[in-house]
Amino acid sequence: MEEIQLKKVLVNKGKETSEKISCDGKVAIASGRKIYLDYNATTPLAPEVIQTVTEAMHEAWGNPSSSYTAGQRAKEIINEARESLARMVGGQLQDIIFTSGGTEANNLVIHTAVRDFRESHKQRSSGAGEDRKKTLGTCPHLITSCIEHDSVRLPVEYLVEEREAEATFVPVSKVTGRVEVDDVIAAIRPTTCLVSIMLANNETGVIMPISELSQQIQAVNQKRMASGLPRILVHTDAAQMIGKGRVDVQDLGVDYLTVVGHKFYAPRIGALYVRGPGTTTPLHPMLFGGGQERNFRPGTENTPMIAGLGKAAELVNKHCEVYESHMRKVRDYLEERLEAVFEEQGVHFNCRLKGSKRLCNTCNFSIVGSRLQGRLVLSHCRFLLASVGAACHSEKGDRPSSILLRCGIPYSVAQNALRLSVGRDTSKEDVDLIVEDLKQAVAQLQ
């Protein structure tokens, strides 16, 4: 396995420091530094990415659609980034469409599926008899899960409210925390046009069985085509998996895959993988303009951010195994320390669900006891920067995570939940300090 030098980044009022930390935390107490363990929410930009973005701002300020040197250099940079992303997910260069982020990519897929169903339905029903038209139905049906990110859940709910679509939100198993393939297949209707299931959950870290699901849907599609029914498209939001484990669209068998830059040390920009956009797989634009991205996503390209996304993808291509191994070791050490320190108190790991694999960096746990709600514990920590769940739900007060409740975690346990997600630079010394920090916070509260 390739070895790389992992650079230690310590967050101290936005500045880096190489100060050594003793296990008893004395140096940290003196410096007042913070330890960031919320990498599932967002990651800092890798130094190499910052350098690439800066260089692109200087060298490639021109419009990529222009013919002069600065514009052509911008076009080259965009193509290089597209190639790096394609290699990272196992697709072809032409399969990558740049977007503003994961939210846009997810919305693009959902609206494409609905529009494509309606257009196909007109063609199918034009030559069909009245009985056949009734059988086909006119309203597209979407299948997703009850634990999806809001950028999938909310557009689906909106389409349902507007009576533009019907939807099934498949529950997760209270044993495995996964969306089970049989449950998805059982939800399929003649009018089903899209299945969208995340690749890994951002709170529990549980990895979903997307490859198996795609294989089953492929078999279903073969029968549907023979019956004149619409093809079911498959989408997965891979925001949490990229940079933490292997992502290969050929193995996953999906039609669409969402890439989110700020989850793997890239800028806040995204991309959508589409298996043969506009040919093999439908893709209908939501925006209209100058024809960029082959008219699928028009608008003058944000060259520096695209360059940064490409560089981050290149780092993943080169070092993913090293990143994954390091984060897994630190995460496992974190859980060992939590078990040891809170042995008498009691600690419940909400992320250890029977029969499921999980992300290498994610630890979701609850310290047992009253007055130990997650937000309360965090407010008494001096050094730990973390969250109780998804960052986009941070305004929901002391209500437990709906994701944990749907995974079968008891209310009283879910209310105490903390999500710690380690990064490429997190060390065992960091773990020692934050576990001691948690211990002192719990002691104060009790």
Side-chain angles (χ1 to χ4, degrees), residues 43-92:
T43 56
L45 269 65
E48 300 92 332
V49 170
I50 294 173
Q51 182 180 351
T52 298
V53 170
T54 304
E55 289 173 356
M57 286 179 170
H58 286 291
E59 298 175 12
W61 51 268
N63 191 315
S65 299
S66 60
S67 58
Y68 42 79
T69 303
Q72 288 303 296
R73 179 58 185 142
K75 189 173 183 178
E76 287 175 10
I77 287 173
I78 290 168
N79 287 335
E80 288 167 3
R82 200 185 308 275
E83 189 173 346
S84 291
L85 260 77
R87 195 179 313 118
M88 180 177 72
V89 300
Q92 302 296 317

Side-chain angles (χ1 to χ4, degrees), residues 52-162:
T52 298
V53 170
T54 304
E55 289 173 356
M57 286 179 170
H58 286 291
E59 298 175 12
W61 51 268
N63 191 315
S65 299
S66 60
S67 58
Y68 42 79
T69 303
Q72 288 303 296
R73 179 58 185 142
K75 189 173 183 178
E76 287 175 10
I77 287 173
I78 290 168
N79 287 335
E80 288 167 3
R82 200 185 308 275
E83 189 173 346
S84 291
L85 260 77
R87 195 179 313 118
M88 180 177 72
V89 300
Q92 302 296 317
L93 182 144
Q94 63 269 19
D95 296 336
I96 302 298
I97 308 296
F98 292 112
T99 66
S100 62
T103 294
E104 183 187 344
N106 290 341
N107 276 259
L108 185 54
V109 170
I110 292 164
H111 286 278
T112 284
V114 170
R115 178 177 168 184
D116 189 70
F117 174 90
R118 294 196 179 281
E119 291 183 358
S120 299
H121 180 268
K122 289 179 183 178
Q123 296 174 4
R124 287 193 306 272
S125 61
S126 60
E130 290 302 317
D131 291 340
R132 184 59 177 154
K133 288 179 182 179
K134 291 178 182 178
T135 302
L136 286 171
T138 59
C139 194
H141 175 241
L142 309 169
I143 299 175
T144 187
S145 81
C146 67
I147 59 168
E148 295 298 313
H149 189 271
D150 280 355
S151 60
V152 169
R153 180 180 65 83
L154 291 178
V156 171
E157 288 181 349
Y158 170 79
L159 288 168
V160 171
E161 289 170 4
E162 295 295 310

Side-chain angles (χ1 to χ4, degrees), residues 306-317:
I306 290 173
L309 186 65
K311 186 63 178 182
E314 183 185 321
L315 292 174
V316 169
N317 291 333

